Amino acid sequence: MCFGWVPILNPGNVLDYFSERSNPFYDRTCNNEVVKMQRLTLEHLNQMVGVEYILLHAQEPILYIIRKQQRQSPTQVIPMADYYIIAGVVYQAPDLGTVISSRVLSAVHGIQSAFDEAMSYCRYHPSKGYWWHFKDQEEREKSKPKSKKKEEPSSVFQRHRVDTLLLDLRSKFPPTFYQPKPGEKPIPVEVKKEPEPPAEAVKQEEREPATKSSAPAPPSKPPPEKRARLQ
């Protein structure tokens, strides 16, 4: 476009500026070219049928909006496209469908990017499950002073196993002393002894197996007598 028009642009000559050959949006077969060739006024466009350009809105000296439309009758037109001129530069205005599609695509792209970034912070381990691991967390952990963890002498499994072994040993070998409170003197534990059987009962038990062993054995049968055979 020729920038020599910019200082003198006004609603009366903006259509002539729009019809310059350097403008790729201008259709040379429109009714405006016919009116220009016949040296008629723009009012004759209402009596024609076909593609035409009109000045839709003007905000001097910087903004002008031009509409391309299909005229079917003096009272009926179909809008085809809108163009706006800002500081001497012609732009094509997008239609409503293109605007909505662009906004939806931008929103979907932003949501997808957010999900991708969130998934990059997700971690999983079979024993721990899912958790979040952020970059800020790494910086905080690095900045924190490292405290030495107290090493446990044994694991939970080992402690439980040792407890069962100690209970088993205690039941087999009960303690002979116990201490009621720390610092006090140990007290011997009284072990209940089973009463010993009297000596007479022991002697009687010894006699019984002796009498059983001295009892006579039952008499055995004599062998059968041999008889002489009769000839």
Side-chain angles (χ1 to χ4, degrees), residues 30-58:
C30 64
N31 293 336
N32 297 65
E33 283 293 313
V34 176
V35 170
K36 187 186 297 184
M37 290 174 63
Q38 295 179 2
R39 296 182 180 181
L40 301 175
T41 60
L42 295 177
E43 295 177 357
H44 289 80
L45 291 174
N46 298 333
Q47 308 300 326
M48 301 176 70
V49 176
V51 178
E52 64 182 23
Y53 294 90
I54 63 169
L55 178 62
L56 184 65
H57 177 73

Side-chain angles (χ1 to χ4, degrees), residues 1-9 14 17 59-65 84-91:
M1 301 298 291
C2 181
F3 291 96
W5 285 77
V6 176
I8 60 173
L9 274 180
V14 68
Y17 174 70
Q59 184 178 345
E60 297 183 48
I62 190 171
L63 176 63
Y64 300 92
I65 299 177
Y84 55 93
I85 302 173
I86 297 178
V89 182
V90 181
Y91 302 93

Side-chain angles (χ1 to χ4, degrees), residues 29-214:
T29 62
C30 64
N31 293 336
N32 297 65
E33 283 293 313
V34 176
V35 170
K36 187 186 297 184
M37 290 174 63
Q38 295 179 2
R39 296 182 180 181
L40 301 175
T41 60
L42 295 177
E43 295 177 357
H44 289 80
L45 291 174
N46 298 333
Q47 308 300 326
M48 301 176 70
V49 176
V51 178
E52 64 182 23
Y53 294 90
I54 63 169
L55 178 62
L56 184 65
H57 177 73
Q59 184 178 345
E60 297 183 48
I62 190 171
L63 176 63
Y64 300 92
I65 299 177
I66 296 173
R67 170 167 289 178
K68 180 182 180 180
Q69 59 189 12
Q70 177 75 32
R71 182 171 291 277
Q72 297 180 348
S73 67
T75 57
Q76 187 178 4
V77 294
I78 300 174
M80 299 176 64
D82 290 335
Y83 307 92
Y84 55 93
I85 302 173
I86 297 178
V89 182
V90 181
Y91 302 93
Q92 183 176 4
D95 56 1
L96 183 60
T98 305
V99 173
I100 294 175
S101 177
S102 176
R103 295 294 184 270
V104 171
L105 185 61
S106 300
V108 171
H109 177 70
I111 294 172
Q112 185 65 36
S113 300
F115 275 112
D116 293 341
E117 186 175 359
M119 286 300 296
S120 65
Y121 297 128
C122 181
R123 300 289 185 273
Y124 173 76
H125 193 272
S127 62
K128 297 181 181 179
Y130 290 94
W131 76 93
W132 297 103
H133 186 75
F134 298 100
K135 295 180 181 178
D136 298 341
Q137 187 176 359
E138 294 181 357
E139 295 178 357
R140 291 175 185 174
E141 290 178 356
K142 290 180 180 179
S143 61
K144 285 183 179 179
K146 294 182 179 180
S147 58
K148 293 183 179 179
K149 295 182 180 180
K150 294 182 179 179
E151 295 182 357
E152 297 183 355
S154 61
S155 63
V156 178
F157 175 77
Q158 291 172 341
R159 286 198 297 273
H160 283 298
R161 294 295 298 171
V162 169
D163 291 343
T164 55
L165 291 173
L166 291 176
L167 290 174
D168 189 16
L169 291 173
R170 183 177 179 182
S171 61
K172 291 181 180 179
F173 306 100
T176 56
F177 293 88
Y178 78 95
Q179 193 175 11
K181 292 181 180 180
E184 293 185 358
K185 185 178 179 181
I187 301 174
V189 178
E190 295 181 0
V191 181
K192 294 182 179 180
K193 296 183 179 180
E194 296 181 358
E196 296 180 356
E200 296 179 357
V202 174
K203 290 181 180 180
Q204 187 176 359
E205 288 179 358
E206 292 177 354
R207 289 174 184 174
E208 285 180 358
T211 55
K212 288 181 181 179
S213 60
S214 62

